[in-house]
Amino acid sequence: MKEQIISILEEIRADVDFEREGQKLIDDGILDSFDIISIVSEFNDAFQVEISVEDLLPENFNTPEAMETLIKKLQQE
Amino acid sequence: MAVISGVFMLFVAVTALLYFLVKKEWRWVVLLIASYVFFWMNSKWLLFIMAGSSLFTYFIGRCIHKNTRTAAWILKENAAVLLPADKKSIKAEKKSKNKKFLLLGLFVNFGILLFLKYYNFFGGNFNHLMQLLGIEARARSLDLLLPLGISFYTLQAAAYLIDLYREKYAAEKSPFRFLLFMSYFPLITQGPISRYDQLAKQLYRGHEFSYERMTRGMQLILWGLMKKLIIADRIAIPVNLIFDHSSTYGGVLLLFAAMGYGIQVYTDFSGGMDIVRGVSRIFGIELAENFRQPYFSRSIEEFWRRWHITLGAWMKDYVFYPLSLSRFSKKIGKVSRKLFGSQTGKKIPTFLAMFVVYFFVGFWHGAQWKYIVYGLWNGVFIMSGILLEGRYVWLCKKLRINTETFSWRLFQIARTFLICSVGRLFSRGENLKTAFSMIKGMVWTSGRSSFANAVKGGLGLTPANWILLLLMLLLLVAVDMIHEKGISISGFLGKQNLIFRWVVYYLAILSLLIFGIYGNIQGGTGFIYQQF
């Protein structure tokens, strides 16, 4: 799943190295609100989940791993 | 009681003295009393509107909290016997009930704001429309007064209720503590628009006195006063002169007025923020940051992430995200993909949400069409920037422009500043007609006063004042550049020896006393954002 997440992220923001250690995509201001909406829309289609506005917290989008955890949680619900 | 006045400084000193004299557990009460005294001195009986809104918001918050807790308790107690469908239905029922509470809370809070701030705007437009249709119906204009900071505390109340609905945190138990969250005096005049989860705990905890923290607070106050009194109120003189006689000036002078107003509003608003953040720091309470060197932005989109950050963040969390992820938005997305293809089509719902956001940003500033156009001006540039991004990259490649160079960055910064400044003609100009006429006058200068004549007159400032203004602007740019590099000037000063520190403080105080523009000493000087 992680590879697919990174491939989606890279498609939206080709200029960012998403696998760099220690970076926080939201807290460090790397992703903006437009990117977030694009990412959510792609994730919803790719993983058959419905990410809601309540899930749009920095901690859920700071790293590809956090995004993976969120998607898995939503898939289980 | 204006924030820039001797009375306010005395008020802060007395409040701080009382705050640190009483027992720790009662310190928040000192802040509550001080906040209500401050509000009373500014808005008198309108205080009851603010107190009423606060208590109502508190009550709705409790209702949402209780309903959420009850549903959680039922789910927990009956976890073994409930079928997944039952659990889903309990959650749906909770959500539906909470939504009703939320809507009621938002309706009352925004209803009061809409009525007091926008009634005459809607009435006037209604009358205009009726006149156009030839119908004899008139809405009476009302002489309404606004409670201090209503545009700011209403957004704070709405954020609190929406967060409770989203189950982000638990509701406040004490009505009195909640009254303090809604009225905390440093932020009631012009923000920052604060979030309950970031501010409340700091407010309620009794902080120890710290000399080091107080010094850092005072430094911030001093710098804020310098920005406001030496730069903002000085540059306001030529800017006001040109805006007040905009039909007589032309060309570069109008562009100067627009840019000058950009500097004025930045130093006025960020100066005010520094003062209130400094005051709050004395009590040990850190307020949210509202500015991050906005004029170093390379695009309008970046500018709005660095300018009035708390308003932008509010709009993002409570308007942009919910709208972008709404069912309506998804439907629009499906239709637009069919019409415009996958790439452009999927951007359309986001653009619509953005359009709504900037409409609200403009409208929030004031009940006039010019503010709406001001908001949309910014929105249009952001949308076009995203839509044409690919074309810009292609063009840069074709023209062999190296986008990693300093000169290109400088060009982007200057371009952003120019777009922002021209947009400000809408917010500062008397009305839309004046703003458009000023834009026209920048290019079409016939019949307008020449640049040479106006400069000879000094535009209301003596040569010495112009030199001082220029030096202060250089200092401002230097300070912003240092902050941009992530260096804390306050931290640097703290490490220096006593003599050096005090020389700097004395110089700052002296420059304030000598070079500050003191309009009305008794009433103090007002802030631009106070009126919004």
Side-chain angles (χ1 to χ4, degrees), chain A residues 11 29 31-34 36-38 40-42 44-45 50-54 56-57, chain B residues 95 165-166 168 301 305 316-317 320-322 324-325 330 337 346 350-351 354 382 386:
Chain A
E11 210 170 292
L31 294 180
D32 61 30
S33 45
F34 291 100
I36 294 293
I37 294 300
S38 309
V40 166
S41 150
E42 295 296 328
N44 284 349
D45 291 344
E50 189 148 349
I51 298 172
S52 70
V53 72
E54 284 91 341
L56 297 189
L57 302 169
Chain B
K95 204 97 185 157
Y165 172 77
R166 291 179 183 172
K168 207 173 160 193
E301 191 266 327
R305 275 188 280 134
K316 182 187 79 186
D317 289 344
F320 181 70
Y321 282 159
S324 299
L325 297 183
K330 278 176 194 158
R337 272 182 218 208
K346 67 182 176 188
T350 320
F351 285 168
M354 192 84 282
I382 293 175
I386 295 167

Side-chain angles (χ1 to χ4, degrees), chain B residues 472-491:
Chain B
M472 282 304 294
L473 286 176
L474 287 175
L475 179 68
L476 178 73
V477 173
V479 168
D480 273 5
M481 278 171 84
I482 293 169
H483 283 152
E484 187 71 1
K485 288 200 178 298
I487 300 165
S488 157
I489 295 177
S490 178

Side-chain angles (χ1 to χ4, degrees), chain B residues 330-342:
Chain B
K330 278 176 194 158
K331 274 183 197 164
I332 300 249
K334 273 185 191 164
V335 176
S336 59
R337 272 182 218 208
K338 273 183 198 163
L339 287 174
F340 304 105
S342 172

